[in-house]
Amino acid sequence: MRKIKIYAIAALAVSAIVACTSDTLDEGNIDTKFLAKIEAAGFNTDDVFVDTFMGNEGYVVEGDIFLTLEQIDELQPNQENQKHYRTNNIVGPDGRVVSVYMDADFNATMQAAFDDALNRYNSLGLDIIFARANSEGADIDILSQKLRKSRGSTILGRSAGFPDANGDPATPIVLNSDVYNPRRGGIPADAATVIAHEIGHAIGFRHTDYFNRAFSCGRGGDEGDAGVGAVYIPGTPTGAENGSWMLACSNGTDRPFTSGDVTALTEVY
């Protein structure tokens, strides 16, 4: 995984798969919908193939596991994906005030979303405080820039990485001007969440589903350690908790911190 983090919109195509046993599976063409469902459940999909067992059509997974279409349809995303993780480095020292600048180019709606994002952190009484800066050159700058699509998905924002060994947050954060600073049209409902998400990376939080992006993106796999660490945060959920602010992909809705998010933030800061 590249150090630059990408937060993308992707349809959850696997969330409403309906299996139909009357269809004949094509042995030479693995259905990508079923493959995504299998991968999201945590199975290795390198050698998946079509087969028939006891009169039922399905897929063989990991060499010796046979899954019918109905069984695949009922698979749940790997709950392990819903734990929270941080990088090896975090922002310090305790009590640090982190200045954050939002480009004046952004309109009043985005400025309000920015204030909302900072308030979400500050309302938790953390050992880190976020303060709005009036000019560029802050601890974290949030800038407006056109971002190209990636594999057909719209890139919402991009962080410069994660905290360094000195305890300084990453900067800058770039938000896609086509989405959050458009010449025409409104601002999406997830603006405050996306800002909070990118700040989350800047202060050391990995994607909640970092080792299986298919959970929120519908495709993708393990982002890996990436040389920055993926340290499990004690006390965070081991069960499914949809809506985390640090999921790899956005569903376009506003997502204030979940109970698991609050646990992660208060444990680290």
Side-chain angles (χ1 to χ4, degrees):
M1 184 191 73
R2 295 177 298 173
K3 187 175 181 182
I4 293 178
K5 303 293 292 168
I6 297 175
Y7 190 40
I9 293 174
L12 293 177
V14 300
S15 63
I17 295 173
V18 178
C20 180
T21 56
S22 63
D23 293 339
T24 300
L25 295 175
D26 182 357
E27 293 186 4
N29 183 24
I30 303 297
D31 190 318
T32 56
K33 292 183 298 183
F34 289 121
L35 198 63
K37 188 82 170 181
I38 293 168
E39 184 179 44
F43 292 103
N44 186 299
T45 58
D46 289 346
D47 298 308
V48 173
F49 61 92
V50 174
D51 203 354
T52 301
F53 181 70
M54 300 294 290
N56 295 311
E57 290 185 315
Y59 292 88
V60 174
V61 179
E62 296 183 352
D64 60 355
I65 302 171
F66 179 81
L67 298 173
T68 66
L69 302 186
E70 288 86 355
Q71 287 172 326
I72 294 172
D73 188 43
E74 293 172 359
L75 289 175
Q76 297 299 311
N78 186 352
Q79 293 186 343
E80 192 75 4
N81 294 344
Q82 283 300 295
K83 293 179 180 178
H84 289 250
Y85 300 84
R86 65 167 176 84
T87 55
N88 295 326
N89 298 327
I90 61 174
V91 174
D94 287 354
R96 177 169 177 175
V97 176
V98 176
S99 60
V100 190
Y101 171 70
M102 166 71 87
D103 195 328
D105 239 12
F106 288 106
N107 65 23
T109 301
M110 282 299 292
Q111 298 293 339
F114 171 57
D115 287 331
D116 185 3
L118 297 189
N119 288 337
R120 292 181 186 187
Y121 285 105
N122 290 336
S123 67
L124 299 179
L126 305 174
D127 285 331
I128 183 174
I129 301 167
F130 296 92
R132 176 190 269 269
N134 296 320
S135 60
E136 195 170 341
D139 292 322
I140 302 174
D141 290 329
I142 302 178
L143 309 176
S144 174
Q145 180 181 317
K146 183 180 179 69
L147 298 175
R148 294 187 300 173
K149 286 190 173 185
S150 173
R151 298 178 64 187
S153 296
T154 299
I155 306 301
L156 300 182
R158 180 175 293 154
S159 168
F162 302 99
D164 61 24
N166 296 321
D168 292 323
T171 187
I173 288 168
V174 174
L175 300 182
N176 191 341
S177 58
D178 284 347
V179 179
Y180 298 109
N181 204 12
R183 294 179 181 274
R184 298 179 182 177
I187 301 298
D190 63 357
T193 301
V194 171
I195 294 169
H197 177 102
E198 298 304 341
I199 291 175
H201 284 315
I203 64 173
F205 289 92
R206 297 291 303 270
H207 287 143
T208 313
D209 51 349
Y210 90 96
F211 59 82
N212 191 351
R213 291 172 59 92
F215 181 85
S216 64
C217 300
R219 65 185 180 192
D222 192 339
E223 296 177 357
D225 177 88
V228 297
V231 181
Y232 168 62
I233 302 172
T236 58
T238 57
E241 186 188 32
N242 290 311
S244 170
W245 104 108
M246 290 308 296
L247 287 172
C249 288
S250 173
N251 62 4
T253 64
D254 183 32
R255 303 193 313 279
F257 297 141
T258 64
S259 59
D261 294 338
V262 172
T263 299
L265 284 160
T266 54
E267 176 68 24
V268 176
Y269 290 108

